Amino acid sequence: MQKILGQLKTWVLNLAENPVVRKRALTVTAVFLILQIYFVRELIAAELLFVLGFVVCLILAGVFYVVGTIGDWGFGLAEAGVRAASGPTRRGLAAIEEFGRKSMRNTHSESAH
């Protein structure tokens, strides 16, 4: 095992001394690092877009909730108004009905025959 590791170490050192191999290795390393930075930037941009989408959904849900709450509140006020107006309306309708039942002629008057 030591013999194989020694041969591998000698081979790598010989390659590292060669300027063409060294330049290519640095180029490959630089390209790899640039691509990693690019992918990280793309991931951050994608996450920001997702956050923006979730914020829009949150705002829409909040608006729908507020509109629903205002609608429930309005129905409650309308119900209270109907309850407050139902008593006088019922009495008024009963009075009109009673007035309609009464005869329009005076019972104490005599006929003209």
Side-chain angles (χ1 to χ4, degrees), residues 7-57:
Q7 287 175 349
L8 184 63
K9 185 177 179 182
T10 306
W11 183 72
V12 169
L13 288 175
N14 286 338
L15 285 178
E17 290 176 0
N18 188 348
V20 174
V21 173
R22 198 171 42 231
K23 185 176 181 181
R24 286 184 183 165
L26 285 176
T27 304
V28 168
T29 305
V31 167
F32 179 76
L33 289 175
I34 289 171
L35 286 176
Q36 289 300 314
I37 291 171
Y38 173 75
F39 288 135
V40 168
R41 288 176 64 188
E42 289 295 317
L43 285 174
I44 291 171
E47 287 180 13
L48 289 176
L49 287 174
F50 278 118
V51 166
L52 182 64
F54 285 125
V55 166
V56 167
C57 290

Side-chain angles (χ1 to χ4, degrees), residues 53-71:
F54 285 125
V55 166
V56 167
C57 290
L58 179 68
I59 289 172
L60 284 175
V63 166
F64 291 149
Y65 175 76
V66 168
V67 168
T69 302
I70 290 172

